[in-house]
Amino acid sequence: MNAAGFIFLLFLHLGVFHIGCSGNASARPAVVNIGAMFKFDSTIGRVAKIAIDEALKDVNSNSSILKGTKLNITLQDSNCNGFLGMVEALRYMATDVVAIIGPQCSVVAPIISHVASELQVPLLSFAATDPTLSSLEFPFFVRTTQSDLYQMAAVADIVDHYGWKEVIAIYTDDDWGRNGVSALKDKLAERRCRISYKVGIQPYSAVTRGDIMDILVKVALMQSRIVVLHVNPTIALRVFAVANHLGMMGNGYVWIATDQLSLVLDSNSPFPSETMDTIQGVLTLRQHTPDSDKKRAFFDRWNKITGGSPGLNSFGLYAYDTVWLLAYSLDAFFNQGGVISFSNDSRINSVTGSTLHLEAMSIFDDGKLLLKNILLSDFVGLTGHLKFNPDKSLILPAFDIINVLGTGTRQIGYWSNYSGLSTVSPETLYTSPPNRSSANQKLHSVIWPGETLSTPRGWVFPNNGKLLRIGVPNRVSYKEFVSRIQGTDMFKGFCIDVFTAAVNLLPYAVPYKFISFGDGRQNPSYTELVNKITTGDFDAVVGDIAIVTNRTRIVDFTQPYVSSGLVIVARLNKQRSGAWAFFRPFSPRMWIVTASFFLIVGIVIWILEHRINDEFRGPPKYQVITILWFSFSTMFFAHRENTMSTLGRLVLLIWLFVVLIINSSYTASLTSILTVEHLSSPIKGIESLVTDKEPIGYQVGSFAERYLSEELNISRSRLVPLGSPEEYASALERGPGNGGVAAVVDERPYVELFLSSQCKFRIVGQEFTKSGWGFAFPRDSPLAIDMSSAILTLAENGDLQRIHDKWLMQSTCSLDSTEIETSQLNLSSFWGLFLICGIACFISLFIYFMQILQQLPPAPESAPTTGPVSSRSGRLQRILSLMDEKEDQSKIGHKRRKVDNDGDEELGSSPKRRERNNSNRNVTWSN
């Protein structure tokens, strides 16, 4: 039997329902009956009773609302505790009411909501904040206040804003408390935070001081110091009193209480000083209601009625607005032809019994129409703009964030579902686009417990006598990094010294013990070691742990204390110079480009000198030979032809500079090749290693095996596990043809230590992964953050380098006169020179052609024209003819004399050259 059926049989058996059917009532009755149920003797109930009475007076005195119809609200004191509260509520439901304001308690709300749905009576609660009271399960339940779902989102944003990752939740152990903490868990998870410990308190006032003390003693032993308190006001004050007695309201603690604390502070102000002393520094939330003239006027009116006791709180404002919400909805209901009438449920008639009084069941016929108008409400009340979202929750949820200080409170900011945390009111933010960026999340300064302005760290090591269990790999090779001291549980090495130095820099003590991982016969699997953190076997892992992607998905690493990455180690063979060694200094592309520029420069010089320089004139065969001879003789600065044009001299000057650099580089590289012994390897890098089919060595336990097989798709049959530096050397010495390996892939720190004593091997190619070594901790561990800061401090003050030199600074191999194979000179090293030369050639040719065009004679007028094509062809012929014909002797005479006069001084010409030049002047060449 489901819950709803059980409830129906229960209240029918008790005889709580009477015949409530009426005939067709008038569309505008004189009186409409409304119910209201809440606990009169409670902080919320005392305020709500006065607020509802005042709202009823205002509605009935306003003839424009219901146009003569009066509201009659019958109040029912409802117990919030379990079975009795349920029975009292069910008895009250037997009256003929069209809507019910309440219930106050979330524990009773689901039960009443089932009945309200069957009777089609809207249920409007101004105080039931349980987030699980959904519109789908309870269609006639309407929440006229904010859900705890948004309050828990505000708490989660506060936790995330201050950088805390774990909280402790203390809650009332009923549906309201459990569901609220469940919502908090979900909201924290969205921000990568979590509840590390939660504990429930009995929901009744019968809970003793001893019960609370037992709970808080357990909380004090936990690591987190952020406590979220989600209990009713009475229990909240008792919890704070015990916490203050235990010293849990001092430095280091953070208490965040939900709106139940602000509720009692608003309703009972001023608070006794001894009570205020126990809640100093606490953060609490209050449902935000915008400031308005209407709200201020009501506060003045309230103080006149009550004298300030009880004080008006946010739930009282929502209770007041709920009455007006019903009044507006009933007015719309009547305007649409709604009729207040009740009818029997035909489903019950078939199971009528003599003692169950099932014939008393009645349904509000137009309840759905009234519910529809309630959900379509849209007006401005004391709490601001009242309008419902499609999920039947109020629009624009917001909360005030309050810091308890001295004899009162201080507001430090706001939270809204629109823009998160802010120091300006949500109404101001609604006028601009939402901005949830971390830079926009702001709160005023807080005075925390212990009267400190410094934001608490939020956690300490749990004071439960347990040591931090730290897993350490029991290595059998490269023991300089980490190794177990024989016969003890202690470890030593570079990684251990870095860890202990970092721990010593922490501002708090860290009790820990090392636990060995591995059998001591071979290096353990580091992936399995890191996985032990997720299974709870270790609280941290210390050692030469590489930070790789698959590990970062399950644990958090500290700042790397060593830079690392995979490199290739191979044996290098002596390289002989050979008969064709003179080709090796330049790469093939460099040879091609250099030869091309020799020809290009020769052609450019010939074009620039052809008209004015007899040495660049003559038969075609002679001119081709001149171009080739001139071009390649510049390589040795042995060219005999003089350049007469300014542009030609400019190009030649730049080209001779380029030739000088190329000759010098070629000579240096060739000298090194011929005089220094070189080492070479057929493996040039990871690309050539992957394409080869030779076996590859890797260190046992390293992530290199997974990377090579899964990331680079190298067959596992090619991978050879090696356990020590000696095995590295032996496998590389033998080579792939004798059962060895062609190369070893390992992390750089291991390789550098290996090469410090093995001079026959070298790193080939570039480092093809980038990573580092760090210490591993559980996800979101605050210790990982503090250890990262400590490692950075070690690096800055030089201690990290000193630890490195202590363990890893060993004698290195002497290379003598042997060098690793040098790479060829590539075009990339000289493209700038070629670019400058090319630009000079282009500019010179451009100027030259402009000069030719200026000297170009016009076409003869008598010449026949056959069209634009012939015109262009004729113009091109004239240009080529002009370029080929010799320049007038009178124009070049001065240039020649200048060349003769400057020959000895500028060009250093010999008497034979002068005689040859003179003879050349007397020779007339045919074109």
Side-chain angles (χ1 to χ4, degrees):
M1 183 181 296
N2 58 32
F6 169 77
I7 294 168
F8 286 141
L9 292 177
L10 175 64
F11 70 72
L12 290 174
H13 181 71
L14 293 173
V16 298
F17 267 74
H18 302 287
I19 298 175
C21 302
S22 64
N24 291 334
S26 62
R28 286 275 181 174
V31 177
V32 175
N33 292 323
I34 305 295
M37 57 174 64
F38 48 87
K39 187 176 181 181
F40 294 167
D41 188 21
S42 66
T43 304
I44 295 177
R46 285 189 290 269
V47 174
K49 186 176 184 299
I50 301 173
I52 290 175
D53 287 341
E54 293 304 309
L56 182 62
K57 295 177 184 177
D58 293 342
V59 169
N60 286 335
S61 63
N62 192 333
S63 60
S64 63
I65 301 299
L66 290 173
K67 301 177 178 62
T69 300
K70 302 295 184 182
L71 292 184
N72 178 38
I73 299 181
T74 305
L75 303 180
Q76 170 70 37
D77 189 4
S78 174
N79 197 316
C80 285
N81 291 334
F83 183 77
L84 291 179
M86 177 187 66
V87 172
E88 292 171 357
L90 291 175
R91 180 182 295 117
Y92 182 65
M93 291 285 291
T95 60
D96 295 339
V97 294
V98 298
I100 297 175
I101 300 175
Q104 169 188 332
C105 303
S106 297
V107 176
V108 182
I111 302 171
I112 308 304
S113 296
H114 279 297
V115 179
S117 298
E118 293 295 333
L119 301 181
Q120 298 184 13
V121 176
L123 198 64
L124 291 82
S125 177
F126 61 88
T129 57
D130 186 344
T132 63
L133 295 172
S134 67
S135 58
L136 295 178
E137 185 179 4
F138 310 113
F140 278 80
F141 175 82
V142 179
R143 196 195 322 266
T144 60
T145 188
Q146 300 296 347
S147 169
D148 276 342
L149 179 68
Y150 300 111
Q151 181 172 208
M152 295 309 173
V155 173
D157 273 346
I158 293 173
V159 171
D160 184 55
H161 175 70
Y162 289 107
W164 303 317
K165 294 298 181 182
E166 295 183 355
V167 304
I168 295 173
I170 302 176
Y171 60 95
T172 304
D173 196 10
D174 56 15
D175 289 343
W176 170 74
R178 287 189 295 269
N179 294 333
V181 170
S182 178
L184 175 62
K185 176 183 176 182
D186 294 340
K187 293 301 180 181
L188 287 172
E190 293 174 5
R191 296 153 179 82
R192 288 196 63 184
C193 305
R194 68 186 186 97
I195 298 176
S196 60
Y197 179 71
K198 59 182 180 180
V199 57
I201 295 180
Q202 293 182 14
Y204 310 110
S205 58
V207 62
T208 64
R209 179 182 176 89
D211 296 333
I212 296 175
M213 186 169 293
D214 291 341
I215 290 173
L216 292 185
V217 167
K218 293 179 181 178
V219 170
L221 297 177
M222 298 295 112
Q223 175 175 287
S224 177
R225 284 294 182 261
I226 314 300
V227 184
V228 178
L229 190 63
H230 185 51
V231 296
N232 63 55
T234 303
I235 296 179
L237 295 177
R238 297 171 67 181
V239 168
F240 284 122
V242 175
N244 187 62
H245 174 73
L246 295 176
M248 298 174 65
M249 300 300 297
N251 286 336
Y253 279 91
V254 174
W255 289 83
I256 304 175
T258 53
D259 58 1
Q260 297 295 308
L261 178 61
S262 66
L263 173 70
V264 71
L265 291 174
D266 291 338
S267 301
N268 298 280
S269 182
F271 235 52
S273 59
E274 58 272 14
T275 304
M276 291 298 296
D277 290 341
T278 64
I279 57 176
Q280 292 297 301
V282 174
L283 294 184
T284 184
L285 287 86
R286 177 201 295 133
Q287 296 192 44
H288 175 73
T289 54
D291 193 19
S292 64
D293 294 337
K294 184 187 297 186
K295 177 181 172 182
R296 286 191 292 270
F298 189 77
F299 265 92
D300 294 338
R301 176 179 166 189
W302 181 274
N303 291 329
K304 292 177 182 178
I305 296 172
T306 65
S309 181
L312 182 59
N313 55 48
S314 59
F315 286 102
L317 297 174
Y318 279 109
Y320 180 91
D321 280 350
T322 301
V323 176
W324 277 93
L325 174 66
L326 266 175
Y328 285 120
S329 302
L330 283 169
D331 186 53
F333 170 80
F334 291 134
N335 290 336
Q336 296 171 12
V339 177
I340 297 179
S341 63
F342 296 87
S343 61
N344 290 328
D345 190 346
S346 59
R347 296 172 300 173
I348 304 298
N349 294 334
S350 59
V351 292
T352 301
S354 58
T355 58
L356 296 180
H357 302 287
L358 295 179
E359 68 278 4
M361 292 294 295
S362 61
I363 298 174
F364 179 26
D365 295 329
D366 282 340
K368 292 183 178 179
L369 180 59
L370 178 58
L371 176 64
K372 176 183 176 182
N373 284 284
I374 290 173
L375 297 178
L376 291 176
S377 298
D378 187 358
F379 70 98
V380 177
L382 297 181
T383 58
H385 190 187
L386 262 74
K387 187 178 180 181
F388 292 95
N389 289 314
D391 63 352
K392 297 200 307 185
S393 63
L394 290 177
I395 64 171
L396 302 176
F399 287 84
D400 300 334
I401 304 174
I402 300 168
N403 184 202
V404 179
L405 178 64
T407 59
T409 60
R410 169 176 168 263
Q411 187 164 332
I412 62 169
Y414 305 87
W415 178 91
S416 68
N417 196 44
Y418 186 77
S419 292
L421 302 174
S422 67
T423 54
V424 297
S425 65
E427 291 73 38
T428 303
L429 298 175
Y430 295 151
T431 59
S432 58
N435 186 352
R436 297 299 293 262
S437 64
S438 58
N440 199 53
Q441 305 298 295
K442 298 178 181 178
L443 291 174
H444 292 300
S445 59
V446 179
I447 297 181
W448 304 100
E451 298 183 355
T452 177
L453 287 171
S454 300
T455 302
R457 187 171 67 245
W459 68 279
V460 295
F461 274 95
N463 188 19
N464 51 16
K466 295 183 179 179
L467 300 177
L468 201 66
R469 299 164 300 168
I470 299 179
V472 183
N474 187 10
R475 295 192 58 89
V476 297
S477 63
Y478 296 112
K479 292 188 175 183
E480 292 87 350
F481 294 105
V482 57
S483 63
R484 184 173 181 178
I485 300 176
Q486 192 68 28
T488 68
D489 292 332
M490 301 176 64
F491 287 81
K492 64 179 181 179
F494 169 70
C495 302
I496 302 300
D497 281 5
V498 172
F499 175 77
T500 55
V503 168
N504 291 336
L505 291 178
L506 299 179
Y508 47 84
V510 181
Y512 64 88
K513 64 176 179 179
F514 291 136
I515 301 176
S516 176
F517 180 78
D519 56 13
R521 292 188 293 272
Q522 65 177 8
N523 294 334
S525 169
Y526 280 42
T527 299
E528 293 181 9
L529 175 59
V530 172
N531 285 335
K532 289 291 184 180
I533 295 179
T534 62
T535 60
D537 295 327
F538 294 141
D539 299 315
V541 168
V542 169
D544 45 343
I545 313 298
I547 304 173
V548 293
T549 304
N550 64 324
R551 295 173 185 172
T552 58
R553 296 191 181 104
I554 58 176
V555 297
D556 280 351
F557 282 94
T558 62
Q559 171 80 15
Y561 60 89
V562 168
S563 296
S564 181
L566 293 178
V567 294
I568 301 171
V569 180
R571 181 176 180 177
L572 300 180
N573 301 316
K574 293 182 179 180
Q575 186 179 28
R576 300 181 181 274
S577 57
W580 303 98
F582 60 87
F583 280 118
R584 285 169 48 193
F586 286 166
S587 66
R589 182 178 296 180
M590 180 66 181
W591 279 116
I592 294 171
V593 173
T594 302
S596 299
F597 260 84
F598 272 109
L599 292 175
I600 292 171
V601 171
I603 293 172
V604 171
I605 295 295
W606 177 82
I607 293 173
L608 297 175
E609 296 289 326
H610 180 67
R611 297 189 68 216
I612 63 175
N613 195 337
D614 291 335
E615 294 182 350
F616 289 89
R617 298 185 63 81
K621 181 180 178 180
Y622 177 84
Q623 296 184 50
V624 172
I625 294 173
T626 301
I627 292 173
L628 295 176
W629 168 256
F630 181 83
S631 299
F632 291 100
S633 63
T634 56
M635 181 187 303
F636 311 103
F637 305 98
H639 54 285
R640 66 183 182 181
E641 293 78 11
N642 294 320
T643 52
M644 300 177 60
S645 67
T646 303
L647 293 176
R649 292 179 176 182
L650 173 65
V651 171
L652 183 60
L653 179 64
I654 295 175
W655 173 241
L656 291 177
F657 175 74
V658 173
V659 170
L660 175 65
I661 300 299
I662 292 176
N663 277 342
S664 302
S665 302
Y666 177 86
T667 303
S669 180
L670 183 60
T671 302
S672 174
I673 291 173
L674 296 177
T675 60
V676 179
E677 187 179 62
H678 288 266
L679 301 176
S680 66
S681 171
I683 300 172
K684 305 301 180 183
I686 188 61
E687 293 81 7
S688 60
L689 186 64
V690 171
T691 55
D692 289 342
K693 301 300 181 183
E694 305 293 349
I696 304 170
Y698 69 92
Q699 183 181 175
V700 175
S702 170
F703 77 96
E705 178 190 14
R706 185 199 64 81
Y707 183 86
L708 293 173
S709 60
E710 297 181 10
E711 300 295 333
L712 300 181
N713 297 318
I714 297 176
S715 174
R716 290 185 181 272
S717 60
R718 293 178 57 193
L719 303 181
V720 180
L722 303 173
S724 67
E726 292 75 17
E727 292 185 19
Y728 282 22
S730 175
L732 290 170
E733 284 279 3
R734 294 196 306 271
N738 298 316
V741 297
V744 172
V745 175
D746 205 351
E747 296 177 71
R748 180 174 287 275
Y750 302 123
V751 170
E752 290 177 347
L753 191 60
F754 170 71
L755 295 180
S756 66
S757 59
Q758 298 289 337
C759 303
K760 299 179 181 179
F761 315 106
R762 289 292 185 274
I763 296 175
V764 296
Q766 300 295 321
E767 186 175 274
F768 56 93
T769 66
K770 293 291 184 181
S771 62
W773 290 355
F775 306 130
F777 292 89
R779 293 298 297 269
D780 301 320
S781 170
L783 185 57
I785 300 174
D786 289 352
M787 285 292 289
S788 294
S789 301
I791 290 172
L792 289 175
T793 302
L794 290 175
E796 291 170 357
N797 61 23
D799 288 345
L800 189 60
Q801 184 62 42
R802 283 188 283 272
I803 297 173
H804 176 276
D805 295 344
K806 170 186 174 183
W807 288 97
L808 306 178
M809 200 66 174
Q810 300 185 5
S811 59
T812 58
C813 294
S814 174
L815 296 180
D816 298 325
S817 60
T818 302
E819 292 184 359
I820 300 175
E821 178 185 10
T822 55
S823 60
Q824 293 177 315
L825 296 175
N826 295 309
L827 180 62
S828 59
S829 302
F830 298 93
W831 71 267
L833 289 173
F834 288 123
L835 178 63
I836 294 172
C837 186
I839 292 174
C841 291
F842 175 79
I843 293 175
S844 298
L845 288 176
F846 179 79
I847 296 174
Y848 175 76
F849 284 122
M850 290 297 102
Q851 292 174 349
I852 291 295
L853 291 177
Q854 289 178 355
Q855 299 175 18
L856 184 67
E861 296 182 358
S862 59
T865 58
T866 59
V869 176
S870 299
S871 176
R872 286 194 296 270
S873 177
R875 182 179 178 87
L876 179 60
Q877 290 178 1
R878 292 198 307 274
I879 292 175
L880 295 177
S881 176
L882 180 62
M883 291 176 59
D884 189 51
E885 71 181 25
K886 191 172 183 179
E887 190 173 337
D888 188 6
Q889 293 293 332
S890 62
K891 296 181 180 179
I892 64 173
H894 175 70
K895 297 180 180 179
R896 286 184 174 179
R897 287 192 298 272
K898 185 176 181 180
V899 171
D900 291 339
N901 294 334
D902 296 342
D904 291 333
E905 299 164 358
E906 295 182 3
L907 300 178
S909 298
S910 64
K912 291 184 179 180
R913 173 170 290 188
R914 289 197 301 271
E915 181 181 351
R916 183 173 62 251
N917 291 339
N918 292 331
S919 63
N920 287 339
R921 295 192 190 102
N922 299 324
V923 178
T924 303
W925 300 100
S926 62
N927 293 330

